[in-house]
Amino acid sequence: MSVTSNLPWSEQYRIVSKQWVDADAAASILEDTKSAVMAERVVALGDMAVNKAEATVKASPEWRQHVESVVNARRAANRLKVQLEYLRMKFSEWQSHEATKRTEARL
């Protein structure tokens, strides 16, 4: 869901927050299971020295793709976190602008 500027700041923040929580969880799962995935792939190679099996796995296109998936998931989560900070700053700017308008109206 994309955030539109006609929604209240709180609703925009809620929407992006929910997206960030989901993206952060997805990235964390990938990061936390990276060593388990490595172990599964090493075991699948059968009777081979562990260091050679790990090198074989790390040299594979599948492993590279898996690592890229981990990085891309974290990038997506980080972008949403930045969007949350942007919304927070925009709200602060709006709040300041409204306070200035109120002060000017009193003068």
Side-chain angles (χ1 to χ4, degrees):
M1 176 185 265
S2 67
V3 179
T4 58
S5 60
N6 60 349
L7 293 174
W9 291 111
S10 59
E11 183 62 9
Q12 291 181 54
Y13 192 86
R14 185 194 68 78
I15 290 167
V16 176
S17 294
K18 187 176 176 187
Q19 291 172 344
W20 174 74
V21 166
D22 292 342
D24 187 62
S28 293
I29 287 169
L30 285 171
E31 290 166 347
D32 292 346
T33 60
K34 188 175 163 190
S35 61
V37 170
M38 169 63 80
E40 289 172 359
R41 292 181 182 190
V42 165
V43 168
L45 291 174
D47 193 23
M48 183 185 291
V50 173
N51 61 340
K52 184 176 180 181
E54 284 182 0
T56 301
V57 170
K58 287 180 179 178
S60 71
E62 294 82 14
W63 183 253
R64 180 182 178 89
Q65 184 178 21
H66 179 70
V67 171
E68 287 176 358
S69 295
V70 173
V71 171
N72 289 337
R74 179 53 57 202
R75 179 186 301 124
N78 287 341
R79 282 187 178 156
L80 287 167
K81 186 70 172 176
V82 169
Q83 190 175 357
L84 283 174
E85 291 303 315
Y86 169 77
L87 288 172
R88 192 175 286 147
M89 285 189 302
K90 290 299 285 181
F91 174 73
S92 180
E93 289 171 357
W94 172 82
Q95 207 171 22
S96 176
H97 178 71
E98 291 298 309
T100 301
K101 281 179 20 183
R102 285 190 301 273
T103 302
E104 289 173 349
R106 281 189 230 129
L107 297 178

